[in-house]
Amino acid sequence: MRTDRERGGPDAPPHLALHVGRRGPRLPLDEPQAPEGCGRKWTWAWRTPPWRLERGEVPTRPPWLAPAFALLAAALTAAAPVAAATARRGAPLLWRVEWYGRRSHLFGTVHLPLDLDAALGEEGRAALADAKRVFLEIDTSPDAALTFLLQALHRARLPENESLHALLRPTAWTRLTTATKGFLPPELLDRLEPWFVALAVVHLAVPPGRPVPGIRAGTLPLDQQIGERARARSIPIEGLESILDHLQVLSRMPRKEGVEMVEEALANPAANRDALATLVGAYIAEDDRPLLKAFGKLARHNPALAERLLYRRNQAWCERLVLWLRDGRMFIAAGAAHMFGNRGLVTLLRERGYLVERVRPTAASPSTSVRTRG
């Protein structure tokens, strides 16, 4: 049996795990089959127009794709370390959203394999079970996950006259090739865009931590668990954005920014591990303060990234949600960072006339309240 380190390690930089990373099911690397009844001959994934994938067609892989596909699949399924869960002292990241007595719920997730029932709390579990419709950031079905992976790889190739090793510092390139040894040959790694490497590769450089409570081995990430639970109850699922929209957020990352993210993660992997452990431990313990601190740091130190990764998407999602929320019994799940701040979903919905209140236990501590304004 392969160890965590051989699978790519259980760690990922905190900014990717909490804000960017999409963690999908393990996917077979056998040649994908055409949909039943379709007689078309498949082209390679990197030659397939997006509209064909949106229509349900599944391309075959080019020769370089198998190892890169395996690498990304490992990255998207790896578990991240968490600090030991402490006694609950706050409230789940769950809000009631009401419009003249019609109630829906808004839930902040992390894209990691944690205990969904504990994260939701009693009211969240009941709201999900009773929902008329569930909204996730993107469709998490297996077919959609495959489309996402193939389209990510389609966009991940550098132009023929460029190389990754020329973009990185020599020390960063050496660390990267060492970290990816056994997953991807250097000559193929050299052909990948920095944004793809930041998403799928740099977590390999983070040394594995000791096993800690919280991670549920063999469990899907929270958002995918929500999707599976909704499908089991035949509850319709909507994506807040399309797969192509989601990929554009990642693939349009400026080249310089991607390089900086890769080099930073490789330069201090232990610090990334500790930061992620702190954030996820806070999520488990329902302690908002470290999460708010991380959100504020992102907003202050990298406003362009926050604008692209959070604020623009929040605005687009809100415009979509107001078409549904007045019916009530909607369940919306999105990354925790999308909830906070003056341009977070909580504030945006309040500005549109909705009553949005945090769901709190009867004995909740006021010290962990979320500030959505100011």
Side-chain angles (χ1 to χ4, degrees):
M1 180 178 296
R2 304 176 73 190
T3 65
D4 279 344
R5 184 62 178 172
E6 290 169 331
R7 283 197 300 266
D11 305 295
H15 56 282
L16 297 182
L18 295 180
H19 305 306
V20 179
R22 304 300 310 165
R23 299 175 183 273
R26 283 182 170 81
L27 297 169
L29 298 183
D30 296 335
E31 198 70 41
Q33 301 298 314
E36 185 176 354
C38 181
R40 292 177 182 264
K41 181 179 180 180
W42 304 116
T43 60
W44 288 353
W46 57 276
R47 292 179 180 172
T48 304
W51 64 266
R52 290 184 60 191
L53 288 169
E54 287 288 314
R55 201 171 63 183
E57 301 181 8
V58 183
T60 55
R61 301 188 307 272
W64 67 276
L65 188 59
F69 193 104
L71 181 64
L72 182 55
L76 299 183
T77 56
V82 299
T86 58
R88 293 186 181 275
R89 54 182 175 179
L93 287 179
L94 183 71
W95 287 261
R96 302 183 191 102
V97 183
E98 294 193 8
W99 181 267
Y100 294 100
R102 295 180 179 178
R103 177 177 295 178
S104 298
H105 286 80
L106 181 65
F107 177 57
T109 71
V110 290
H111 309 302
L112 299 171
L114 306 180
D115 184 343
L116 176 60
D117 288 326
L120 286 172
E122 182 178 357
E123 183 167 333
R125 294 191 296 270
L128 177 57
D130 187 53
K132 291 194 297 187
R133 192 171 298 267
V134 167
F135 289 84
L136 302 172
E137 290 187 24
I138 60 172
D139 186 355
T140 60
S141 66
D143 288 345
L146 177 60
T147 299
F148 174 83
L149 290 171
L150 291 172
Q151 279 294 292
L153 292 167
H154 164 68
R155 290 165 169 76
R157 299 188 76 195
L158 280 166
E160 293 299 326
N161 61 340
E162 298 185 44
S163 63
L164 184 60
H165 83 269
L167 298 172
L168 299 176
R169 292 187 177 94
T171 53
W173 174 252
T174 300
R175 289 170 179 164
L176 184 60
T177 54
T178 301
T180 57
K181 186 177 181 180
F183 275 90
L184 200 62
E187 60 271 18
L188 296 185
L189 179 65
D190 203 27
R191 304 298 310 129
L192 296 176
E193 287 276 2
W195 70 264
F196 182 90
V197 177
L199 171 66
V201 177
V202 293
H203 77 288
L204 298 176
V206 181
R210 293 176 298 174
V212 292
I215 286 295
R216 304 188 64 146
T219 302
L220 293 172
L222 290 180
D223 38 6
Q224 290 193 341
Q225 290 184 59
I226 292 170
E228 291 297 311
R229 195 168 295 190
R231 276 185 283 273
R233 293 177 174 270
S234 299
I235 301 172
I237 300 173
E238 299 274 350
L240 291 170
E241 61 191 6
S242 71
I243 289 173
L244 295 180
D245 287 339
H246 188 77
L247 278 171
Q248 285 177 351
V249 173
L250 305 178
S251 61
R252 289 180 177 176
M253 178 187 298
R255 184 74 58 76
K256 180 180 178 181
E257 188 176 282
V259 168
E260 290 174 351
M261 291 174 69
V262 172
E263 292 186 339
E264 179 184 356
L266 291 168
N268 200 345
N272 285 325
R273 179 195 61 198
D274 294 343
L276 182 60
T278 297
L279 292 175
V280 180
Y283 184 87
I284 293 174
E286 297 176 345
D287 182 359
D288 299 343
R289 291 168 296 182
L291 303 176
L292 286 165
K293 183 178 179 180
F295 166 76
K297 183 177 179 180
L298 172 67
R300 291 191 305 271
H301 293 181
N302 200 334
L305 179 62
E307 182 72 32
R308 186 176 65 254
L309 193 62
L310 298 175
Y311 302 145
R312 292 177 188 171
R313 298 167 75 202
N314 291 348
Q315 185 69 38
W317 295 353
C318 190
E319 297 303 323
R320 176 167 171 73
L321 287 172
V322 295
L323 300 176
W324 294 93
L325 285 171
R326 295 186 183 188
D327 289 339
R329 291 172 55 199
M330 303 294 154
F331 189 93
I332 303 102
H338 292 281
M339 307 299 154
F340 302 136
N342 289 335
R343 298 173 67 186
L345 288 175
V346 172
T347 296
L348 292 176
L349 289 171
R350 284 175 176 164
E351 290 175 347
R352 283 158 177 76
Y354 289 87
L355 176 63
V356 185
E357 295 182 331
R358 182 79 174 267
V359 175
R360 295 190 177 278
T362 55
S365 169
S367 64
T368 58
S369 60
V370 170
R371 297 176 182 174
T372 58
R373 298 181 186 273

